């Protein structure tokens, strides 16, 4: 199940299908928070990058994940992207 979700995430990321990137990331972080909490950083940057194309659809989520990432970093948490998994590559 996790491998399918990682494949889905990678496909969405490569296709710049941000809706599916957000959805699959949320599922990964819910299933294995210690391994995928670093995806907050990616989710926090998507909306920022999209602002340069005048797309504000992801602005609220970007702000939410940016704040969450900052809070986690200030709390001393290690942020992991799941890169240890062979199936998951950014």
């Amino acid at each position: 199940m996790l491998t399918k979700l990682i494949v889905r995430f990678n496909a969405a990321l490569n296709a710049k299908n941000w809706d599916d990137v957000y959805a699959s990331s949320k599922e990964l972080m819910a299933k294995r928070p210690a391994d995928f909490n670093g995806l907050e950083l990616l989710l926090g940057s998507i909306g920022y990058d999209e602002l340069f194309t005048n797309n504000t659809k992801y602005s609220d989520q970007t702000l939410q994940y940016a704040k969450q990432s900052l809070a986690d970093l200030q709390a001393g948490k290690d942020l992991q992207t799941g890169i240890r998994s062979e199936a998951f590559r950014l």
Side-chain angles (χ1 to χ4, degrees), residues 2-73:
L2 191 62
T3 299
K4 286 183 182 181
L5 192 52
I6 292 168
V7 168
R8 177 180 155 205
F9 169 85
N10 284 331
L13 186 63
N14 289 331
K16 296 184 179 182
N17 178 346
W18 305 134
D19 289 337
D20 206 30
V21 168
Y22 274 101
S24 57
S25 294
K26 287 178 187 178
E27 288 184 53
L28 285 166
M29 290 186 294
K31 289 182 185 303
R32 302 266 298 274
D35 291 329
F36 294 103
N37 63 355
L39 292 176
E40 298 169 357
L41 298 170
L42 172 69
L43 299 177
S45 71
I46 290 172
Y48 176 76
D49 293 340
E50 286 297 299
L51 283 175
F52 291 103
T53 66
N54 293 320
N55 179 2
T56 60
K57 178 178 182 179
Y58 305 100
S59 296
D60 289 342
Q61 292 173 339
T62 289
L63 188 55
Q64 170 195 343
Y65 282 109
K67 287 179 179 180
Q68 187 174 337
S69 294
L70 286 172
D72 286 348
L73 289 170

